[in-house]
Every structure is written in C-alpha cells, then in structure tokens.
Amino acid sequence: MAEAASYDVVIIGGGPGGYNAAIRAGQLGMKVACVEMRDTLGGTCLNVGCMPSKALLHASELFEVAAKEFPKLGIEVGAPKLNLAQMMGQKAESVSALTKGIEFLFKKNKVEWIKGRGRITGPGSVEVAAADGSTSTLSAKNILIATGSEPTPLPGVAFEDGKVVDSTGALSLPAVPKKLIVVGAGIIGLELGSVWRRLGAEVTVVEFLDRITPGMDAEVAKTFQRSLTKQGMTFKLGTKVTGAKTGKDGVELTLEPAAGGAAETLKGDVVLVAIGRRPYVEGLGLETVGIEPDKRGFIANDHFRTNAGGVWVIGDVTHGPMLAHKAEEDGVAAIELIAGKAGHVDYDLVPSVVYTAPEVAWVGKTEEQLKEAGVAYKAGKFPFTANSRAKINHETDGFVKVLADAATDRILGVHILGPQAGEMIGEACVAMAFGGASEDIARVCHPHPTRSEAVRQAAMGVEGWTMQA
C-alpha cells in the first residue's frame, strides 16, 4: 500500500460544519482534506434538508398566493395549475448549483475533497472507502468529526418508500397525497407539512407533547398553532403513535393518548415521521481512539476537543442546537483553535427559524426559561396588525416580543412570529452579541414602511412607550 497522504487536518463530513471548516482551514494556510461519502458536497442541509425544503416552501407559497391572494390584489390570471415535476426539477437545479458552488470554493481555498466513507483507524489515521471498493489511508495531525445527523426512526413504524417516509422522502413525493399524516410537530414536520398542505393535501399533525414546537416560547407556539390551524392543518396533541400498517390504499396508524386511554386509528396516504434527528456515528471507528458517544449518540466535547488527543468534533454530532448555522460556527471556531487562535461560539446567540408562512424566529431565552431561572424581566410586544408594511401586504398574522432584564434593560430574548421573521432576527442577534439593551433598538431609526419597525416598536414596549399600537 502507498504511503499515507499527510494533512494538517482531515475533516470527516462535507456538510455546513465540515465544508466551512475546510474552507477556513484553507484560508489559514493549512493542508486540509474533506472526506464526504455523498456524490456531492453540502451534507444533509444542501442535498436533502435546508435548501430543497426552502425551494419547495417558496414554490408552494407562491402557488397558494397565486390561488388565494392574486384575486384580492386585482390580478386575474385564472386558477394556477400545479406541475409537480417542474417544481421538483427547479428544486434539483438550485441544489445542484449550490453543491457545485462548494466545489468551486474548495478549489479556490486549496481544499482536497476525497470522495468516500471516512473511518478513524487510530490516532492521526483516517481510512477512506471509495464507492468502487478501493481504500486509501490519510495521515492527519488533527481529525475533525463533522458527520452530522440522520432522521430518528419511530419504534413500531417502519419506513416504506412512498408511504412511510422521513424528511428526505417527503422532499421528493411523486404526487400530492390526498391525506398526509405528520408524526412530530417540530420544525421539520411543520415546514414539510405546510408545503404539501399548500399543494392540496389534507394534513394532520400528531404530536406526543401537549404543544407544538418544543423549545419555542409558549405564547408564540400557541399563536403559531392557531395560525396553522386557520390555514387548514389539523393537530392531534398529547397523542402517541404505537404502530403502523401499510396497504394498497395507504397507511393506518394506531394512536393512543400520551397520558393513557383508548386506542384509535388514523388513515392517510402518506405518513411523514419527523420526530427529530440523531447523531450519525455509524462505522466511524471511534473505539480506535477511545471515544464513546453517550446513549443518544452524541460525542462530548470541551471547546470542540474530544477526549482523544488531536480529534475534534462539531455540529449535529455533538451537543448544542442541531442547526446548520450552528455547525458552521462550530467548524470555524474549531479550526481557529487548531490554528492557535481564539475560536468560540455562544450558543445563547444561535437563532432558530421556522420557514412556514408566517415564519417564526427567535434568539435567546423564552419567558418560560426566564421564569424558571428566577430572572426578573420586562416584555415588550407589538402585533403585525399594527405594522404599516404588513398591513399593506396582507401579512398581519403574528407579533414581535422583546424580553429584557428588569434592572439593566439588557436584551435576553427576542421572538418573532410574522412575515420575514428569519431575516429580521439578525438584528436581535447583533444587538445581543454586543450586550445591547432594549432601548438601543428602540432608539435606532428603522426605515419606514418596513416589517422591521415591528421589532423597534416591541423594544419600545419594554419601557411602555410603544407608539403605533
């Protein structure tokens, strides 16, 4: 066998964490290789996650706008007709362009992409098994694990192509199901459920907890659920799925109340299981360097260092929010630490976004978290019904809520349910990163008429001087 190629860092995984880490390593002059088992770079996010889902969310939203909003605006073009094959085709084109963009960035930053499945075989050693069965060995001063996560299966409910699907399958259904059952009222389930509802499916969401979107501020979640219900989604909360039977005419789920009680059945054409994600650690060879994931599969880290010297971990496969942008921050910080710089990520400032319509975005603490911690706080709220731009655009569902320390006025959390919430949350992230107060946002001139004025008005509300509601 040929002598192992030698690198400053070998990254296992080419998703948002891995590819951004590779680019940063290249910028810092390291000799870097990124091992990726897919045929394309970008990991789950670009290939079967964030990007294709946003392509379908955007297209389905426009489809619904054309059907329901155009006539109200005086635009008469007739009923829109769905061409699902074309919708899927444009999604694939966009994804392909993005993955090719990463290949270009790798070349630009002298990152070597090694195609195949990476496995640690000992300290400083990574074996790569290519699709043709050949293997090669890489020698590395540092190994960075960035293998991400995969959908969590539901016990008693086996996946079956086209009938019982995970998020990947739900992105490529060949036809609009008449009845779609979504198991799990988290972000992924609600986003994909909203896509197929807009395209004509009757959507029922089954959730074990007595609320949707765990982790979201409870008041926001309640209002969000009301909005989705108004749009036509049905929710069965506090309900456990105990089994599934597939047949020619679809899928029959067996349900029970989570608190105990009589079982019932629910029939659908397609079932989407979206109960969360779990770290992908299969076949990684962690045992060869003495790393043992916890019972949920997560690899522990201390500033991205594992317990094995020279082995680092980032993204979904370690602790913290399972979000692409968190993985990206992790990747940059880990590489900068390897380079002797001061890499750091503040997980309290990692925003979350639900890309439905209306969108939901938040950063920092919820009211429930502040109450539980015994923190005295003030809240300012502003509804989009009172925002000029939202009113003109007929996008008045939702509100902005700003939470600030009662004594210092430092912003502790910002929660937005409404149009373009994901774009607006960045302002809160910046303000909080600099230790800003609610008054800092309230005193900064915002352009008029924009949705962002709702953030300013909510900040004014912390001290009780909201002016436009």
Side-chain angles (χ1 to χ4, degrees), residues 34-78:
C34 183
V35 180
E36 171 54 52
M37 64 185 184
R38 278 192 173 91
D39 291 331
T40 51
L41 292 164
T44 293
C45 178
L46 257 69
N47 290 282
V48 289
C50 323
M51 297 308 160
S53 66
K54 300 312 160 284
L56 293 184
L57 282 157
H58 176 64
S60 64
E61 195 174 328
L62 291 180
F63 178 77
E64 187 165 71
V65 165
K68 295 182 179 177
E69 299 300 321
F70 275 16
K72 296 178 192 173
L73 299 174
I75 304 170
E76 296 179 7
V77 291

Side-chain angles (χ1 to χ4, degrees), residues 339-386:
K341 294 178 178 290
H344 175 68
V345 181
D346 184 347
Y347 290 162
D348 283 338
L349 295 181
V350 174
S352 294
V353 185
V354 190
Y355 294 93
T356 47
E359 289 185 352
V360 190
W362 69 96
V363 65
K365 303 298 183 188
T366 65
E367 286 204 63
E368 294 71 46
Q369 288 170 330
L370 293 176
K371 284 171 185 169
E372 193 179 332
V375 176
Y377 68 92
K378 291 182 178 179
K381 270 177 67 177
F382 189 81
F384 278 102
T385 49

Side-chain angles (χ1 to χ4, degrees), residues 277-279 281 293-299 319 322:
R277 297 183 66 83
R278 62 184 182 185
V281 292
D294 67 19
K295 61 183 179 185
R296 293 173 61 211
F298 290 101
I299 299 170
H319 297 285
M322 295 178 91

Side-chain angles (χ1 to χ4, degrees), residues 125-143:
S125 179
V126 175
E127 182 183 84
V128 182
D132 63 6
S134 64
T135 61
S136 57
T137 301
L138 315 178
S139 174
K141 290 177 190 169
N142 295 278
I143 298 169

Side-chain angles (χ1 to χ4, degrees), residues 20 52 104 136-137 217 244 328 411:
N20 279 292
F104 164 76
S136 57
T137 301
D217 183 271
E328 179 178 342
I411 303 167

